[in-house]
């Protein structure tokens, strides 16, 4: 306890030292969510909102997963980062192979051979030597070449909690056997790859391998893994359609002519997996702790996942064994996406690193953020290097001129923030279940009902209200930027739009009501029974934004006197309804896997129906004429002849209208000026290696934007000290009185 004579000087000393305490804290902002030691480190900071479910390349097929798998795994091909139209180039391969067409006897055919003559297509792929895997315990060996962790004892496995607990790691050279092993995994029933069904139609022997493995599992129900340690050693099962020619060359043989197959070879599905990883991860003690390929990937790419904590952070670091790859030395920016600010310097900077080895960034930290507003605020503070623009932050970030020109707000300009935009190769649509007895079918009445609804749904208004104008109205299944898309009058749906003064104009509600009469529903009532027409829209989600969209959608139907009932269910229930074909209307979307119209038109191909085959044709649309044209179109090279076939297919789509309305989103990206080499590429999924961070500049601006405001604390300190003075005076007076009384007592 302080003596009473020292209390007041002590308070004064605290007040005196407060400013010096604050000054010592100003080097790193007090609200900085990252460690002070990372202040000037070459680290990219970003966020994620949903835990990636699959990081196994044979299983992963979601956009929130490709953020990671695209940087870790390396299929043989990739897309050129700085070129549009999207251009396929080698990644681990040496060049892009030209398919060799074969007859029934596997004899080569001429390039001019017709599709009917072509029985097989062969792709011979040669990869670069000396490519190494990232360091990983599955590849660790002792001096004799025995793998250290392939047959671990229970005691050893009990000491392991996460992958980093393994003391030893190893690496080895990539060979074509690893590519073959991954293709076999696509056929493994235990892996359950989402593209097996589609690929089994093309890769020779894939279906037979699947049947062989399924029979093995049936006869050996206790074999739960897909490796030598847990079940099947895939190396011992042949795949007739894939042949190893030498250590660095392999051949894939597919049925018929399928030019789009080469695009699939740029996706993680066809990235290599070493057999050692399958053996390692199949150990039951590790699987029980979620130490699996789905959680800890292994690849040859520029980055490796070092922290997987989906409740807080996911971290990728530079692969120390990454092979030599150089930044592109050419670009066609004028044909691609340019900065909205006409900044010529920005275009010059995009090639400033030409010929330099990749990657530039040492580490990437992804933090869990469930709310858009939190991401936005941290971006403005400089704690995230890039951000999208949500509806909540649109008005703060964007200004729209009188003529519709889009520019950054003054606040963004003051922060030197850059904005880049591009139209995504994506289509979101409201679909009809074509198996439904009311809205489905190909009768004239059903077509007119769907057309009336399509006219009534004002998609232009929806884009303005719910997307801040960031999108273009869907006229057909193919989005802009993909071969087959038609602009102008030739590209509009004539059943829903008229072409007036050089612009499409949605047909009137009066026309929609007339079509409803012709469909047998005058004034929204069944002409036979007199009952009102009630339609059902199945959806998932909740919250105020979703409610507003549902209310708006009901309003669109009410314009033609149709009552719309929203059936909002959880995601699993919704998926079940889609699989069984019990949903009547719904919203769906598709982002291009590869830049070819086949990847969108197959969403309407009868044999790909969701019901019965679990295909991607969510509407279960089946028109024999459309399907015949699709079979003809899918194997054609791009050109006038193929365009003509596509135009016929789109015309059938316009007439049948299995999709009521939709839009193609326009993507807006904001980037701080210390974030370099940014060029939107909606097809490439491995672009992180090209980007760079100027960490010292970032630290400087973070400090400027996050200066602590000390004066409220100083004022509070003064108030506390001033408030304590009466207490001190009373205390001292009371103590003085006690001392005087004590002295008087002693004298008396």
């Amino acid at each position: 306890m302080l003596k009473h004579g020292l209390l007041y000087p002590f308070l004064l000393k605290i007040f005196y030292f407060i400013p010096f305490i604050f000054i010592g804290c100003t080097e790193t902002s007090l609200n900085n969510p990252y460690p002070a030691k990372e202040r000037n480190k070459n680290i990219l900071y970003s966020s994620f909102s949903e835990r990636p479910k699959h990081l196994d390349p044979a299983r992963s097929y979601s956009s929130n997963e490709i953020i990671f798998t695209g940087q870790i795994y390396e299929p043989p091909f990739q897309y050129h980062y700085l070129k549009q139209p999207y251009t396929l180039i080698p990644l681990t391969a040496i060049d892009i192979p030209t398919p060799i067409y074969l007859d029934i006897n596997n004899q080569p055919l001429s390039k001019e051979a017709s599709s009917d003559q072509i029985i097989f297509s062969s792709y011979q792929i040669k990869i670069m030597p000396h490519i190494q895997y990232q360091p990983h315990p599955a590849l660790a060996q002792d001096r004799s070449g025995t793998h250290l962790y392939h047959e671990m004892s229970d005691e050893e496995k009990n000491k392991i909690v996460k992958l980093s607990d393994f003391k030893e790691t190893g690496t080895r050279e990539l060979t074509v056997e690893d590519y073959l092993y991954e293709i076999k995994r696509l056929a493994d029933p235990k892996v359950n790859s989402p593209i097996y069904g589609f690929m089994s139609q093309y890769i020779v022997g894939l279906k037979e391998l699947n049947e062989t493995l399924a029979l093995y599992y049936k006869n050996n129900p206790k074999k739960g893994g897909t490796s030598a340690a847990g079940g099947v050693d895939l190396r011992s099962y042949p795949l007739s359609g894939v042949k190893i020619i030498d250590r660095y060359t392999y051949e894939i043989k597919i049925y018929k002519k399928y030019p789009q197959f080469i695009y699939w070879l740029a996706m993680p599905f066809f990235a290599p997996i070493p057999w050692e990883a399958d053996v390692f991860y199949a150990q039951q003690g590790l699987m029980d702790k979620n130490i699996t390929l789905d959680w800890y990937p292994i690849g040859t790419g520029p980055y490796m996942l070092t922290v997987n904590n989906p409740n807080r952070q996911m971290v990728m670091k530079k692969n120390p064994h990454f092979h030599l790859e150089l930044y592109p030395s050419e670009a066609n920016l004028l044909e691609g996406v340019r900065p909205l600010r006409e900044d010529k310097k920005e275009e010059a900077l995009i090639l400033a690193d030409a010929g330099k080895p990749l990657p530039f960034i040492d580490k990437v930290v992804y933090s869990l953020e469930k709310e858009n507003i939190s991401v936005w605020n941290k971006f403005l503070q400089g704690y995230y290097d890039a951000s999208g623009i949500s509806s909540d932050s649109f008005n703060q970030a964007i200004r729209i001129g009188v003529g519709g020109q889009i520019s950054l707000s003054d606040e963004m300009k003051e922060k030197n923030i850059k904005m880049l935009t591009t139209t995504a190769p994506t289509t979101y649509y409201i679909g009809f279940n074509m198996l439904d007895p009311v809205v489905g079918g190909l009768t004239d009445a059903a077509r007119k009902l769907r057309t009336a609804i399509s006219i009534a749904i004002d998609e232009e208004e929806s884009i303005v209200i719910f997307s801040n104008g960031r999108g273009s109205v869907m006229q057909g299944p193919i989005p802009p930027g993909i071969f087959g898309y038609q602009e102008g009058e030739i590209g509009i749906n004539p059943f829903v739009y008229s072409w007036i003064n050089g612009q499409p104009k949605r047909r009137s509600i009066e026309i929609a009501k007339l079509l409803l009469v012709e469909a047998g529903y005058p004034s929204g009532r069944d002409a036979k029974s007199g009952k009102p027409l009630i339609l059902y829209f199945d959806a998932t989600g909740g919250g105020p934004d979703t409610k507003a969209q549902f209310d708006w959608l009901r309003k669109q139907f009410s314009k033609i006197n149709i009552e719309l009932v929203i059936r909002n269910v959880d995601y699993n229930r919704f998926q079940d309804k889609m699989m069984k074909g019990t949903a009547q209307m719904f919203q769906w979307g598709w982002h291009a896997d590869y830049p070819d119209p086949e990847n969108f038109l197959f969403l309407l191909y009868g044999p790909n129906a969701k019901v019965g085959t679990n295909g991607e044709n969510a509407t279960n649309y089946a028109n024999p004429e459309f399907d015949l044209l699709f079979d003809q179109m899918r194997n054609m090279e791009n050109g006038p002849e193929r365009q003509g076939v596509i135009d016929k297919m789109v015309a059938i789509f316009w007439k049948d209208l299995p999709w009521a309305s939709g839009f193609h989103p326009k993507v807006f990206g904001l980037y701080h000026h210390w974030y370099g080499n940014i060029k939107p590429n909606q097809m490439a999924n491995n672009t992180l290696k090209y980007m760079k961070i100027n960490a010292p500049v970032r630290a400087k601006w973070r400090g400027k934007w996050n200066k602590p405001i000390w004066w409220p604390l100083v004022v509070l300190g003064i108030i506390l000290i001033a408030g304590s003075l009466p207490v001190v005076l009373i205390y001292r007076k009371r103590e003085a009185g006690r001392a005087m009384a004590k002295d008087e007592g002693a004298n008396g």
Side-chain angles (χ1 to χ4, degrees):
M1 178 180 292
L2 289 171
K3 293 183 179 180
H4 69 274
L6 299 177
L7 180 60
Y8 185 57
F10 177 74
L11 291 172
L12 288 177
K13 288 179 181 178
I14 291 178
F15 176 66
Y16 176 77
F17 281 108
I18 283 175
F20 295 97
I21 296 172
F22 293 161
I23 290 171
C25 296
T26 56
E27 184 177 354
T28 301
S29 302
L30 297 182
N31 64 346
N32 192 336
Y34 310 115
K37 63 182 180 180
E38 294 184 354
R39 173 180 167 84
N40 288 309
K41 293 294 182 65
N42 184 20
I43 300 173
L44 173 67
Y45 297 99
S46 189
S47 65
F48 68 101
S49 60
E50 184 180 357
R51 171 204 181 280
K53 187 176 182 181
H54 298 298
L55 296 178
D56 179 340
R59 305 178 71 188
S60 176
Y61 208 7
S62 296
S63 58
N64 68 314
E65 298 164 354
I66 199 70
I67 295 171
F68 302 98
T69 59
Q71 326 312 320
I72 296 168
Y73 298 110
E74 289 190 304
F77 310 119
Q78 63 181 336
Y79 291 95
H80 196 292
Y81 181 49
L82 301 179
K83 283 189 176 182
Q84 286 197 5
Y86 301 113
T87 304
L88 210 61
I89 61 173
L91 179 50
T92 60
I94 291 178
D95 53 24
I96 303 294
T98 300
I100 299 173
Y101 302 126
L102 307 171
D103 61 17
I104 190 65
N105 298 313
N106 286 302
Q107 295 302 308
L109 296 167
S110 68
K111 293 182 179 180
E112 291 73 30
S114 66
S115 296
D116 293 338
Q117 293 175 295
I118 298 172
I119 305 302
F120 303 107
S121 297
S122 171
Y123 294 83
Q124 192 171 109
I125 302 165
K126 189 174 186 65
I127 67 170
M128 295 183 293
H130 312 309
I131 295 175
Q132 298 286 314
Y133 279 100
Q134 69 181 65
H136 195 282
L139 303 177
Q141 299 180 359
D142 61 19
R143 292 183 178 180
S144 67
T146 301
H147 289 92
L148 296 176
Y149 303 119
H150 283 196
E151 296 182 5
M152 299 172 63
S153 66
D154 291 340
E155 182 180 356
E156 289 175 314
K157 287 183 282 191
N158 289 337
K159 297 178 181 178
I160 302 298
V161 177
K162 54 186 181 300
L163 194 70
S164 59
D165 291 338
F166 288 93
K167 295 181 179 180
E168 302 293 335
T169 61
T171 185
R172 71 162 172 82
E173 186 186 31
L174 168 70
T175 70
V176 295
E177 183 180 349
D178 303 324
Y179 284 100
L180 170 58
Y181 196 88
E182 169 65 1
I183 296 174
K184 289 180 179 180
R185 294 182 75 246
L186 300 179
D188 194 325
K190 294 292 184 180
V191 174
N192 194 24
S193 174
I195 68 164
Y196 161 71
F198 185 73
M199 281 297 143
S200 65
Q201 302 174 41
Y202 290 104
I203 299 177
V204 174
L206 200 67
K207 184 177 180 181
E208 289 75 12
L209 176 58
N210 171 268
E211 293 172 347
T212 299
L213 293 172
L215 180 61
Y216 174 83
Y217 290 131
K218 181 179 179 180
N219 295 331
N220 300 272
K222 294 183 179 181
K223 298 292 185 179
T226 58
S227 69
V232 174
D233 183 355
L234 293 179
R235 291 176 296 169
S236 62
Y237 284 79
L239 175 58
S240 59
V242 184
K243 177 183 177 183
I244 294 178
I245 297 175
D246 58 44
R247 184 176 178 85
Y248 304 113
T249 311
Y250 68 112
E251 177 187 51
I252 303 179
K253 188 164 70 172
I254 65 172
Y255 295 110
K256 297 292 185 179
K257 179 182 179 181
Y258 181 44
Q260 297 79 20
F261 181 72
I262 196 75
Y263 292 126
W264 285 95
L265 299 180
M267 298 173 68
F269 291 116
F270 289 90
I273 287 293
W275 66 268
E276 295 95 331
D278 225 358
V279 173
F280 172 79
Y281 282 126
Q283 298 176 86
Q284 192 60 50
L286 299 184
M287 295 171 64
D288 294 340
K289 298 173 183 178
N290 215 18
I291 300 178
T292 65
L293 192 58
D294 254 344
W295 199 267
Y296 295 106
I298 171 174
T300 62
Y303 292 97
M304 56 186 188
L305 188 68
T306 57
V307 176
N308 188 346
N309 181 0
N311 295 319
R312 183 175 176 271
Q313 275 189 346
M314 299 184 71
V315 179
M316 290 194 295
K317 291 184 179 179
K318 185 188 294 187
N319 176 6
H321 301 314
F322 186 56
H323 58 89
L324 180 65
E325 184 179 3
L326 305 179
Y327 189 86
S329 58
E330 57 180 345
N332 56 353
L333 291 175
L334 295 179
E335 298 176 23
V337 182
R338 298 177 58 188
L340 287 185
R341 295 181 299 130
E342 296 298 322
D343 193 344
K344 300 297 182 182
K345 182 179 179 181
E346 192 75 23
E347 293 189 2
L349 286 175
I350 200 72
L351 284 173
D353 291 311
K356 294 181 180 179
L358 302 173
F360 296 120
I361 296 171
D362 295 332
K363 179 180 175 181
V364 188
V365 177
Y366 294 91
S367 300
L368 177 64
E369 297 283 3
K370 294 185 178 181
E371 300 294 336
N372 288 332
I373 191 65
S374 178
V375 176
W376 178 247
N377 287 335
K378 289 180 182 178
F379 169 70
L380 294 181
Q381 292 171 309
Y383 295 134
Y384 288 137
D385 298 309
S387 174
I389 307 176
S390 67
S391 298
D392 295 333
S393 57
F394 186 85
N395 292 333
Q396 185 180 359
I398 302 298
R399 293 290 176 266
I400 300 178
V402 177
Q405 301 91 345
I406 295 175
S407 63
L408 286 167
S409 67
D410 292 339
E411 180 183 353
M412 300 299 107
K413 291 178 181 178
E414 288 174 2
K415 289 178 174 286
N416 290 327
I417 289 173
K418 301 174 290 185
M419 177 172 67
L420 298 176
T421 70
T422 182
T423 298
T426 304
T427 299
Y428 292 109
Y429 61 88
I430 292 176
F432 299 101
N433 179 9
M434 296 298 283
L435 300 178
D436 184 81
V438 178
V439 300
L442 297 179
T443 65
D444 285 341
R447 288 189 178 106
K448 290 178 178 179
L449 172 60
R450 293 193 295 271
T451 304
I453 293 171
S454 300
I455 293 172
I457 300 176
D458 190 343
E459 195 64 47
E460 290 85 352
E461 182 181 85
S462 174
I463 293 172
V464 171
I465 294 175
F466 300 111
S467 301
N468 302 106
R470 291 173 289 175
S472 59
V473 174
M474 177 201 78
Q475 294 290 348
I478 303 173
I482 302 295
F483 180 84
Y485 176 81
Q486 296 277 33
E487 295 183 345
E489 184 175 5
I490 192 175
I492 69 164
N493 184 342
F495 295 91
V496 179
Y497 286 88
S498 300
W499 188 258
I500 300 175
N501 297 325
Q503 296 292 330
K505 184 177 181 181
R506 185 174 293 273
R507 294 187 179 275
S508 67
I509 291 298
E510 286 69 27
I511 292 178
K513 289 180 177 179
L514 180 60
L515 287 169
L516 208 58
V517 172
E518 295 175 356
Y521 300 100
S523 299
R525 291 182 173 272
D526 189 309
K528 297 179 180 179
S529 66
K531 294 181 179 180
L533 177 60
I534 301 174
L535 299 181
Y536 299 90
F537 185 86
D538 290 273
T540 62
D545 290 344
T546 305
K547 182 181 183 303
Q549 293 178 22
F550 289 161
D551 289 342
W552 178 87
L553 191 58
R554 292 189 190 96
K555 181 181 177 182
Q556 306 308 298
F557 280 75
S558 68
K559 290 189 295 189
I560 52 176
N561 302 312
I562 294 177
E563 180 182 349
L564 182 68
V565 176
I566 307 292
R567 298 189 293 200
N568 202 2
V569 297
D570 63 66
Y571 183 75
N572 290 334
R573 174 62 178 150
F574 176 76
Q575 289 286 357
D576 185 61
K577 296 183 79 168
M578 294 297 295
M579 292 282 290
K580 294 179 179 178
T582 57
Q584 190 174 59
M585 297 181 65
F586 51 87
Q587 187 172 46
W588 209 257
W590 187 261
H591 180 82
D593 288 319
Y594 45 88
D596 192 89
E598 184 249 8
N599 193 229
F600 285 89
L601 294 172
F602 91 131
L603 302 174
L604 299 160
Y605 184 52
N608 284 343
K610 179 69 68 175
V611 174
T613 66
N614 193 25
E616 296 298 341
N617 179 354
T619 62
N620 304 298
Y621 173 65
N623 183 311
E625 184 181 0
F626 184 97
D627 291 346
L628 284 173
L629 290 170
F630 179 84
D631 288 332
Q632 178 185 351
M633 178 279 307
R634 71 195 310 177
N635 297 326
M636 298 174 69
E637 304 289 345
N638 287 344
E641 185 179 357
R642 194 183 197 206
Q643 182 67 63
V645 176
I646 292 172
D647 290 344
K648 292 178 182 179
M649 297 174 69
V650 173
I652 295 172
F653 168 85
W654 285 340
K655 182 180 179 181
D656 290 345
L657 277 177
W659 300 353
S661 68
F663 74 103
H664 311 296
K666 194 170 187 178
V667 180
F668 282 51
L670 298 182
Y671 308 89
H672 285 298
H673 61 283
W674 58 74
Y675 194 3
N677 292 345
I678 305 298
K679 183 176 185 291
N681 189 315
Q682 294 294 312
M683 202 59 59
N685 52 45
N686 61 344
T687 59
L688 186 60
K689 60 188 175 184
Y690 303 109
M691 300 172 187
K692 63 190 303 185
I693 290 291
N694 190 327
V697 171
R698 176 174 61 192
K700 174 185 174 182
W701 284 87
R702 277 182 180 175
K704 179 180 178 180
W705 294 336
N706 298 279
K707 287 182 178 179
I709 302 174
W710 298 118
W711 67 261
L713 294 179
V714 174
V715 171
L716 179 61
I718 294 173
I719 293 173
L720 289 174
I721 292 175
S724 68
L725 288 177
V727 178
V728 172
L729 292 174
I730 293 171
Y731 178 79
R732 293 186 64 182
K733 184 176 181 180
R734 185 175 61 183
E735 290 297 304
R738 289 178 178 175
M740 185 179 296
K742 185 176 181 181
D743 291 342
E744 290 176 354
N747 293 331

